[in-house]
Amino acid sequence: MEFPNTKPVRPNSNISEMVCKFAKVCKLKSIGVFSSEIPNLHHLHRPICNEAPLSENITEEIRCYDQKIHPHPIEVLNKEDAFSGFEVMKKIFDVVSALKLAYLQLQQAHIPYDPKKIVAADDQVVAELEKLCKFKREYKEIQCKKARLNAARSDLLLAEVLAKEAILGKLKSQNSAKDSEILRLRRRLHDLEMGNKNLTEKVRQMRLEKRKESVLSVTKFQDVFKSASKSIHDFAKPLISLMKASGWDLDKAAKSIENAAVYSKRCDKKYAFEAYIARRMFHGVALTSYDVSDIMKFDDPFDALMENPDSEFAKFCQEKYLLVVHPKMEESFFGNLDHRTLITSGKHPRTEFYQLFAKMAKWVWVLLGSAVSIDPDATLFSVSRGSMFSSFYMESDEEEKESAILSDKEGASYKVEFMIMPGFKIGQMVVKSRVYISQHPSR
């Protein structure tokens, strides 16, 4: 039995037309289903996704995408953003699956041809397409926001780069200024080094000259030492004469000064008095540097005392007179203590005896002040009784014993009985101490 072909030929052509129209729908255009066949389906010609006309969409896209997009490194999304993106993709795939299903239903609605099913399937396809359009709009909005945000960030980064470049330029300028300063300081350092080299040479020359002058100064100091020794010897003479005229026992007086001294001759006891005077004159003194030219310019030191009775030299004379001349001694000499009374009141008696004392005090004062002026490390040394005689540090006042020491071939030893004058050490030079010695045969 043959069945008549009830299906018109046109629906087949309608199916191909629907495929073409669906392709147009995928291009975001309006579709219609057999408008010529189905007059009541005019609602199918509505725009999809409620979008604006194509020209408006293009204008919006141009407005969104006309901004200059700078390439950025791939952003590593955190867990929340990754999860959110995953959900969006899942929804898109669900919509695409639903769209395929709606399209399949649309095809099935044509065979057999059912206008109602076609309209329902068409609405379903449009609904799914609207969902895709919604995703598209949201994606565009996100991309536009990102573009604007990136543009803002780019502006901030550009401003920061410009600021850093300005700072870099300033630092380069400062670095150039520092380099110029370093070059200037190097030149100055070179000049200073050359100046120091010249000064070092001058200092070396000055030291050589000073060393030569020091030798001359030590020679002058030795002359002052001899003058001081002679002045003590000269003052001891009138002192011994006054003691002898006043009835003093000179042997007892000498013994009271040096009790255990052994004298080769009786007249050598005069050295005990010289030792006594020197011991008093150098007692308690400290080697300090002071100007002695004010005293040296006077031939008579008593004139210096009269011109400046309150000077340091005047105080030195007053102090030492009271130590050298005992009150009993002065009273036996002059029958009174007028010298002591005047001196304690700050005056200087105009007597021959005091003038002789002032001459001696002058040379001792000059001797003490000259030592440190020549060498700041100058020292004064003394020799104790019983010390072995050393020709390097000592000299004997007796010329006969001095020559005997130099010519002694028997090996006799000499010991110090007492010191007459202390010695001085100035630099490498030694000014010998004056001592009184006695011979002791070697065993």
Side-chain angles (χ1 to χ4, degrees), residues 126 311 341:
V126 171
S311 64
T341 302

Side-chain angles (χ1 to χ4, degrees), residues 341-364:
T341 302
L342 289 172
I343 290 171
T344 52
S345 64
K347 298 179 182 179
H348 302 278
R350 290 177 173 272
T351 61
E352 183 180 355
F353 180 75
Y354 189 77
Q355 289 178 358
L356 290 173
F357 173 82
K359 289 181 180 180
M360 177 192 66
K362 167 193 170 181
W363 288 111
V364 174

Side-chain angles (χ1 to χ4, degrees), residues 306-321:
M306 293 297 99
E307 181 175 307
N308 191 358
D310 298 323
S311 64
E312 293 297 323
F313 173 65
K315 294 177 182 178
F316 178 78
C317 291
Q318 293 167 350
E319 178 185 353
K320 294 304 177 181
Y321 179 87

Side-chain angles (χ1 to χ4, degrees), residues 11 24 27 65 96 118 129 154 199 207 224 234 265 295 303 320 344 353 359 378 385 399 408 418 425:
K24 293 179 181 180
K27 294 181 181 179
Y65 291 103
V96 171
I118 289 174
L129 288 174
S154 298
L199 288 175
R207 284 179 178 175
V224 174
D234 292 342
K265 294 182 290 185
I295 304 302
D303 295 337
K320 294 304 177 181
T344 52
F353 180 75
K359 289 181 180 180
R385 172 181 167 79
E399 295 180 0
D408 185 21
F418 55 86
K425 188 173 185 301

Side-chain angles (χ1 to χ4, degrees), residues 93-109:
F93 280 114
D94 291 341
V95 172
V96 171
S97 299
L99 179 61
K100 288 181 179 181
L101 181 60
Y103 179 68
L104 181 61
Q105 291 174 355
L106 181 63
Q107 289 179 327
Q108 291 176 350

Side-chain angles (χ1 to χ4, degrees), residues 14-121:
N14 289 341
I15 292 174
S16 60
E17 184 180 356
M18 285 296 296
V19 171
C20 293
K21 289 184 178 182
F22 182 74
K24 293 179 181 180
V25 167
C26 292
K27 294 181 181 179
L28 302 180
K29 294 182 178 179
S30 301
I31 64 172
V33 181
F34 311 112
S35 57
S36 61
E37 300 272 336
I38 308 172
N40 60 347
L41 295 179
H42 296 289
H43 66 281
L44 297 178
H45 295 279
R46 66 187 181 275
I48 300 173
C49 303
N50 296 325
E51 291 182 349
L54 183 60
S55 60
E56 295 181 5
N57 292 336
I58 294 173
T59 304
E60 182 182 357
E61 290 183 7
I62 292 174
R63 185 166 58 251
C64 180
Y65 291 103
D66 63 354
Q67 300 179 11
K68 187 176 181 181
I69 306 297
H70 298 278
H72 295 281
I74 298 175
E75 296 181 359
V76 180
L77 301 178
N78 54 30
K79 291 183 179 180
E80 294 180 358
D81 294 339
F83 181 76
S84 176
F86 177 76
E87 290 294 325
V88 171
M89 292 299 296
K90 183 179 178 182
K91 289 179 181 180
I92 291 175
F93 280 114
D94 291 341
V95 172
V96 171
S97 299
L99 179 61
K100 288 181 179 181
L101 181 60
Y103 179 68
L104 181 61
Q105 291 174 355
L106 181 63
Q107 289 179 327
Q108 291 176 350
H110 284 78
I111 302 172
Y113 185 79
D114 188 347
K116 292 183 179 180
K117 288 184 178 180
I118 289 174
V119 171

